[in-house]
Amino acid sequence: DGGITQSPKYLFRKEGQNVTLSCEQNLNHDAMYWYRQDPGQGLRLIYYSQIVNDFQKGDIAEGYSVSREKKESFPLTVTSAQKNPTAFYLCASSPQGGDYGYTFGSGTRLTVV
Amino acid sequence: GENVEQHPSTLSVQEGDSAVIKCTYSDSASNYFPWYKQELGKRPQLIIDIRSNVGEKKDQRIAVTLNKTAKHFSLHITETQPEDSAVYFCAASTSQNTGNQFYFGTGTSLTVIP
């Protein structure tokens, strides 16, 4: 759907658990991004990756981890260190360099129970 | 780093009227400004963008203007329709060899009243 797929659509996490959100793209995009969306706060960058095996922290990286072992995949792990993980998580990708808009995934809504 | 501010946070207009959403940015090196529309529960979709070498761009009922001197850009929607109701985000980015990181505004919830 749109070349970038996020799963699951809904995820529930118990206190103290780590959970992993999946993001896969078949657009041959080099760059991938993870954003967190909270009501009234817009989109905040968690991590981004420009190339395989390399990634950079965004503005709110604490309590999250990522990996980029393949160009197509950029999973996000929400660790137990993230104290307020309930949010809507959006993955995006874009071609490397130049000025191109993002293609967004459909998002994962994470709820702590 | 870049700071993008967006106003208003909510906007209600009558069907057929125009809607204007404004954004300001802080980094004079920013050179690409996309606008996204996000319907309830769906992914943001790019609706229009503008680059720093252009002052205005139009696509049917949607237009974007850019004032580099004042560091602000605006989205204009004319002849609004109920299906225009959504949250709109502006963004700014600086194209670099390592890719383009976007900084988003906080969003404007637009309601078009039939």
Side-chain angles (χ1 to χ4, degrees):
Chain A
D1 183 10
I4 181 166
T5 303
Q6 287 187 242
S7 62
K9 189 170 184 177
Y10 299 96
L11 185 58
F12 297 91
R13 191 194 94 167
K14 294 182 180 179
E15 295 283 350
Q17 266 188 341
N18 292 356
V19 291
T20 298
L21 284 60
S22 170
C23 180
E24 304 274 337
Q25 54 98 1
N26 60 6
L27 301 167
N28 200 35
H29 286 172
D30 291 297
M32 297 186 74
Y33 311 82
W34 274 105
Y35 283 87
R36 170 177 171 146
Q37 187 173 28
D38 295 281
Q41 295 194 47
L43 297 164
R44 293 184 291 167
L45 182 64
I46 304 172
Y47 269 97
Y48 64 102
S49 168
Q50 309 293 358
I51 57 173
V52 174
N53 292 323
D54 185 61
F55 47 83
Q56 307 295 328
K57 292 182 179 180
D59 300 321
I60 55 166
E62 185 176 350
Y64 300 97
S65 65
V66 293
S67 63
R68 187 85 187 278
E69 297 177 0
K70 299 185 300 181
K71 186 176 184 178
E72 302 79 18
S73 179
F74 190 41
L76 173 74
T77 297
V78 184
T79 74
S80 56
Q82 172 50 238
K83 298 307 178 186
N84 184 23
T86 295
F88 188 55
Y89 291 86
L90 283 163
C91 179
S93 68
S94 72
Q96 184 70 291
D99 303 320
Y100 300 98
Y102 288 175
T103 299
F104 280 94
S106 54
T108 293
R109 187 164 299 280
L110 174 63
T111 304
V112 174
V113 296
Chain B
E2 174 67 281
N3 180 45
V4 177
E5 295 189 356
Q6 183 172 345
H7 300 280
S9 57
T10 60
L11 179 60
S12 292
V13 299
Q14 292 289 334
E15 182 177 0
D17 287 350
S18 295
V20 180
I21 302 170
K22 298 181 179 180
C23 289
T24 61
Y25 62 99
S26 60
D27 189 350
S28 57
S30 289
N31 55 10
Y32 177 64
F33 307 92
W35 285 88
Y36 288 85
K37 174 184 179 182
Q38 186 177 26
E39 296 177 16
L40 189 63
K42 296 188 176 180
R43 72 185 76 191
Q45 300 270 16
L46 178 69
I47 56 171
I48 196 167
D49 57 14
I50 192 167
R51 291 168 173 76
S52 58
N53 59 346
V54 176
E56 182 173 359
K57 184 177 179 180
K58 189 173 182 180
D59 183 4
Q60 299 182 340
R61 296 186 298 108
I62 296 173
V64 57
T65 58
L66 171 65
N67 184 327
K68 287 178 59 179
T69 303
K71 296 199 193 75
H72 67 70
F73 56 112
S74 299
L75 177 71
H76 305 253
I77 305 174
T78 59
E79 302 173 21
T80 53
Q81 300 167 3
E83 51 264 39
D84 294 330
S85 297
V87 178
Y88 292 81
F89 291 97
C90 64
S93 80
T94 304
S95 175
Q96 301 173 11
N97 290 333
T98 53
N100 51 329
Q101 178 180 336
F102 288 3
Y103 295 87
F104 286 88
T106 51
T108 296
S109 178
L110 173 64
T111 301
V112 179
I113 304 166

